[in-house]
Amino acid sequence: MLKDKKRLALYLLLIPVYLLMIYLFSQQTGGTSNQISKGILKNIAETLFGLTGNELTHDRLETVNLLFRKFLHFTEYFILAVLLYSLLKNLSLDIKKRLMLSIILAVIFSISDEFHQLFVPKRTGSIVDVLIDSSGVILGALLMYYREKKKGRLASDTSSS
């Protein structure tokens, strides 16, 4: 049933820690979360805009910050899907079941996270964020799926030679 107990134990530890990290980010008030991402971006964006000869206005910073925050949504759920798929690889599940289960579990967490944000001051739960998260989930899970399929084909090609 289990392929590699050490890897399984690693993912069983890593995934709850990662889910907790996402939860704690979502627990920050809207103002705090926004200020952190703006603080990270401001110096980078000023430098990049300066290189192009453009000025970083308040409106441009707000736009870049919004795009950055959406990119982070996509990325954090991409990583979650990769972790979940990797965990499921250590169980004796069909490859298609791994794909579907990793997507379903990550999307359910995304929905629950957005619901949680409805109760955090100055935060909102957003269907758009669930869609962005789900896009990251699907891409992460599909990349793992196709990577595993490719490895399987390479292994069968090598063994039949």
Side-chain angles (χ1 to χ4, degrees):
M1 169 107 189
L2 297 180
K3 291 182 178 182
D4 186 339
K5 289 181 182 180
K6 287 182 183 178
R7 279 191 182 169
L8 180 65
L10 174 67
Y11 288 114
L12 287 174
L13 176 67
L14 193 58
I15 290 170
V17 168
Y18 191 75
L19 293 174
L20 178 63
M21 181 193 76
I22 292 173
Y23 174 83
L24 292 174
F25 282 143
S26 294
Q27 187 63 26
Q28 295 173 336
T29 65
T32 300
S33 177
N34 198 35
Q35 287 308 108
I36 290 171
S37 62
K38 250 191 231 177
I40 292 168
L41 269 180
K42 191 167 192 242
N43 292 331
I44 297 167
E46 281 176 344
T47 302
L48 292 175
F49 273 85
L51 291 172
T52 64
N54 294 307
E55 182 184 343
L56 179 63
T57 63
H58 174 74
D59 288 344
R60 285 182 179 160
L61 179 59
E62 290 297 321
T63 301
V64 170
N65 187 45
L66 176 66
L67 293 172
F68 179 63
R69 292 170 66 81
K70 299 310 174 189
F71 172 75
L72 291 177
H73 266 271
F74 179 90
T75 304
E76 74 183 348
Y77 280 89
F78 175 95
I79 293 168
L80 178 58
V82 168
L83 290 172
L84 288 169
Y85 191 96
S86 298
L87 167 72
L88 296 171
K89 252 178 88 169
N90 288 284
L91 302 176
S92 295
L93 291 174
D94 172 77
I95 186 171
K96 289 181 182 175
K97 286 181 184 172
R98 278 195 284 278
L99 174 66
M100 295 310 299
L101 198 52
S102 61
I103 291 172
I104 290 167
L105 291 172
V107 170
I108 288 171
F109 188 78
S110 171
I111 293 167
S112 72
D113 187 48
E114 290 302 314
F115 180 73
H116 158 244
Q117 288 181 37
L118 293 172
F119 304 99
V120 177
K122 298 184 182 176
R123 295 293 294 255
T124 58
S126 166
I127 298 289
V128 170
D129 285 349
V130 171
L131 293 174
I132 293 168
D133 298 345
S134 297
S135 298
V137 165
I138 291 167
L139 183 60
L142 282 173
L143 284 175
M144 294 297 289
Y145 172 82
Y146 286 114
R147 180 175 171 242
E148 185 177 6
K149 281 190 77 133
K150 185 177 180 181
K151 273 187 175 178
R153 278 195 299 269
L154 289 174
S156 67
D157 289 347
T158 322
S159 64
S160 64
S161 302

